Amino acid sequence: MTRHFLRDDDITPAEQSEILDLALELKKNRWAQKPLAGPQTVAVIFDKSSTRTRVSFAVGIADLGGSPLVISTANSQLGGKETPADTARVLERQVAAIVWRTYAQAGLEQMAQGTRVPVVNALSDDFHPCQLLADLLTIREHKGELKGLTLTFFGDGMSNMAHSYVLAGATAGMHVRVASPEDYAPREDVVADADRIAEGTGGSVTQFTDPLEAAAGADIVVTDTWVSMGKEEEKIARLRDLGAYKVTNETMTLAKPDAIFIHCLPADRGYEVDAEVIDGPQSVVWDEAENRLHAQKALLVWLLAQS
């Protein structure tokens, strides 16, 4: 059966660990595996602009012996005259996998339904699971085992990043805290799914409105841009509502002395995080950005092996 990666909980705790182990191996030897030799082609589709996603998938597919076919929806029939399902029927006869950075999660689900090749969510409005694999890989490198660590996310709890931290963190057995205003809390159904996962992994998900309380004793401090693509018209309201959740030196002082700071980038210094934090000694954001390459390569190798 073809496996897809549309949400962080599309893989089990054991599978998540297996992919991260493979990512560490591929980071040590980038060209150790060539499942796309031929070269086979992977379609990489973009509805949204991108730096890290575009580069890491293009380079990673080439590392695996394949050829990335980068497609802009503005220059294709997808989203216009053709449905995601029909586009997938065309692509699956010519490519080894489909990677899509898009808006609606429903489009990814339609594309994956009945498709014979793996479909990967490279970002949607609801989830960013590839980023979380890179983040978990980075945390493992700096902290060792993931299980039992406390990770606090500050800012917009309704964002795709917050939802993915909740699901992926629970899958890894971590204690995930989301610090946000009540009106920006994560979706109840996502938290419920994470709670079910946490029952088996020993993790937990807790919501806070007090950012200082949420920071206390954290192993990992996380934030994301407050104004994501498609929400620019909400900028003034978001800066007002989320101002108390900026990650500052005080935030890092309340966390554990060896806490690390991560941010998926791009960052708005002075808004969601102060420059002295993201550019300081506890920041591992550049390791995190590099690890998109290794984590996504491992994911593709693993998905192709399941087919």
Side-chain angles (χ1 to χ4, degrees):
M1 181 181 72
T2 302
R3 295 288 298 273
H4 307 290
F5 192 54
L6 310 184
R7 291 170 43 128
D8 305 82
D9 54 352
D10 280 344
I11 53 177
T12 67
E15 290 169 343
Q16 182 192 74
S17 182
E18 182 182 348
I19 292 168
L20 293 176
D21 286 343
L22 178 56
L24 287 170
E25 293 176 14
L26 291 174
K27 188 169 183 176
K28 293 176 183 176
N29 186 350
R30 280 181 56 175
W31 298 278
Q33 298 209 34
K34 299 283 187 180
L36 293 171
Q40 298 180 62
T41 300
V42 175
V44 189
I45 308 170
F46 290 93
D47 291 356
K48 297 183 176 184
S49 60
S50 167
T51 297
R52 279 149 294 277
T53 299
R54 184 183 297 268
V55 172
S56 57
F57 268 112
V59 173
I61 291 162
D63 282 0
L64 297 176
S67 176
L69 174 63
V70 178
I71 302 170
S72 167
T73 47
N75 298 317
S76 73
Q77 301 295 347
L78 178 61
K81 294 181 179 180
E82 192 163 62
T83 66
D86 285 354
T87 296
R89 290 188 183 99
V90 172
L91 292 177
E92 70 179 3
R93 294 173 178 239
Q94 303 178 59
V95 305
I98 302 169
V99 178
W100 191 10
R101 180 179 174 93
T102 187
Y103 292 92
Q105 184 75 14
L108 283 156
E109 293 169 358
Q110 292 168 21
M111 181 170 280
Q113 190 171 11
T115 304
R116 295 176 296 180
V117 300
V119 175
V120 175
N121 178 359
L123 177 142
S124 71
D125 287 344
D126 291 347
F127 305 102
H128 199 353
C130 288
Q131 180 67 56
L132 258 292
L133 287 178
D135 290 3
L136 293 179
L137 177 61
T138 306
I139 295 166
R140 267 186 56 167
E141 286 182 318
H142 287 271
K143 293 290 182 183
E145 290 298 317
L146 299 173
K147 188 177 179 65
L149 294 176
T150 297
L151 178 150
T152 303
F153 176 90
F154 293 86
D156 181 3
M158 297 188 297
S159 69
N160 51 11
M161 286 303 302
H163 289 157
S164 278
Y165 278 116
V166 165
L167 290 176
T171 301
M174 301 173 72
H175 301 294
V176 180
R177 301 171 179 173
V178 178
S180 67
E182 289 184 4
D183 291 343
Y184 288 79
R187 272 178 18 204
E188 292 182 0
D189 62 303
V190 175
V191 174
D193 289 340
D195 285 340
R196 283 193 290 272
I197 295 169
E199 289 177 1
T201 63
S204 65
V205 177
T206 311
Q207 300 175 59
F208 291 81
T209 55
D210 183 341
L212 301 183
E213 183 183 1
D219 296 289
I220 306 103
V221 174
V222 189
T223 191
D224 184 25
T225 180
W226 292 342
V227 187
S228 299
M229 285 178 284
K231 298 184 183 294
E232 289 82 5
E233 74 284 355
E234 303 175 16
K235 181 174 182 177
I236 294 175
R238 285 174 166 270
L239 296 183
R240 178 196 65 225
D241 296 343
L242 298 172
Y245 298 88
K246 178 196 293 187
V247 175
T248 65
N249 279 333
E250 181 183 10
T251 311
M252 300 305 297
T253 300
L254 291 169
K256 289 183 179 177
D258 62 347
I260 58 174
F261 172 78
I262 61 178
H263 188 307
C264 66
L265 304 176
D268 293 316
R269 288 169 174 79
Y271 288 93
E272 73 269 10
V273 59
D274 281 343
E276 54 261 42
V277 173
I278 193 171
D279 298 322
Q282 291 173 278
S283 174
V284 296
V285 298
W286 310 117
D287 293 342
E288 179 187 6
E290 177 193 343
N291 281 338
R292 289 291 300 276
L293 171 67
H294 311 298
Q296 288 163 184
K297 284 173 62 179
L299 173 67
L300 286 172
V301 170
W302 188 85
L303 287 171
L304 291 167
Q306 309 306 307
S307 302

